[in-house]
Amino acid sequence: GGYAFRGCSGLTSVTIPNSVTTIGDSAFSGCSELTSVTFNAEKCTQMGSYNRPVFSGCTGLTSLTIGEKVTTIPDYAFSGCSGLTSVTFNAEKCTYMGSSSYPVFNNCINLTTLNIGNKVTTIPNYAFYDCTGLSSVTIPNSVTTIGDRAFRGCSGLTSVTIPNSVTSIGERAFSGCSGLTSVTIPNSVTSIGDYAFSGCSGLTSVTIPNSVTSIGGYAFSDCSGLTSVTIPNSVTSIGNYAFYNCSGLTSVTIPNSVTSIGGYAFRGCSGLTSVTIP
């Protein structure tokens, strides 16, 4: 219930079992010595509210483990846990993890370490939205889908290795990751979603594998540091605004496989000196 453990200043750890479906407003607020939480609530659908997040004031919370069977993590679940530095994410098939308006890790600006379990198949939409402290992420081979906006706004992220198991990169999955300097896209990926890497101004080069058939709209828009891009023969369409405002690009070769280039695909690429179109 609401405020159930409020002000329990001696409480240092909490395990939330799989039977729990609702946690009331500010249930653990003011638990200043709470350092670790294990979240095993498989189908929890309510966890406090915007004005009364469950762990409000739990600034001592440094580590969080999300259990394997968790399918839902409610809006603002760990909002305001500014001391949180480490998350172990073991949820194999989580389908909901907040939204752009209600991110699970809202204001968790010190989250620097993310461990994704080797049974996880999907990184949900909005999973680590705006976790600006994250510097690197290792995605295990079990993951097949990176959801929409999964790492959007993670401006501290400098490198990402996407494993061969991943087949799709969702819309805006890494958009706004301005610190990202390198990304490896494997041969298993068939589609790069709209805005997938938009605003990744630190990216200097991208190699798109020959498994990719479509590059979404705005996929690399505003990647102003991008100087080279390799588009393989597998690509048949380049979306609208795909490389919009990539002012650092100097040359582009479009392969024979491409049948359509979307509107404004290379608009604002002021550094382009040569383009080869078959």
Side-chain angles (χ1 to χ4, degrees), residues 37-81:
V37 170
T38 300
F39 184 77
N40 288 324
E42 295 177 14
K43 296 179 181 179
C44 186
T45 56
Q46 180 65 41
M47 230 173 140
S49 61
Y50 170 71
N51 292 320
R52 298 178 181 86
V54 168
F55 295 98
S56 61
C58 295
T59 54
L61 183 63
T62 58
S63 68
L64 167 68
T65 300
I66 297 170
E68 291 183 2
K69 295 183 178 180
V70 172
T71 58
T72 300
I73 302 175
D75 299 345
Y76 288 120
F78 302 98
S79 175
C81 294

Side-chain angles (χ1 to χ4, degrees), residues 203-247:
L203 272 180
T204 56
S205 67
V206 170
T207 299
I208 298 167
N210 57 18
S211 56
V212 172
T213 58
S214 64
I215 300 171
Y218 293 90
F220 296 94
S221 64
D222 292 311
C223 291
S224 55
L226 196 61
T227 58
S228 68
V229 61
T230 301
I231 302 171
N233 278 318
S234 56
V235 173
T236 59
S237 64
I238 298 173
N240 296 337
Y241 296 91
F243 296 93
Y244 177 79
N245 274 352
C246 291
S247 54

Side-chain angles (χ1 to χ4, degrees), residues 58-132:
C58 295
T59 54
L61 183 63
T62 58
S63 68
L64 167 68
T65 300
I66 297 170
E68 291 183 2
K69 295 183 178 180
V70 172
T71 58
T72 300
I73 302 175
D75 299 345
Y76 288 120
F78 302 98
S79 175
C81 294
S82 57
L84 188 63
T85 59
S86 173
V87 169
T88 299
F89 183 80
N90 290 324
E92 295 178 14
K93 296 179 181 179
C94 188
T95 55
Y96 184 85
M97 206 166 164
S99 66
S100 60
S101 298
Y102 312 106
V104 165
F105 294 104
N106 183 49
N107 289 327
C108 294
I109 56 174
N110 290 310
L111 179 60
T112 56
T113 304
L114 171 62
N115 300 304
I116 301 173
N118 59 13
K119 292 183 180 179
V120 173
T121 59
T122 300
I123 299 175
N125 298 347
Y126 308 100
F128 301 98
Y129 186 98
D130 274 351
C131 290
T132 56

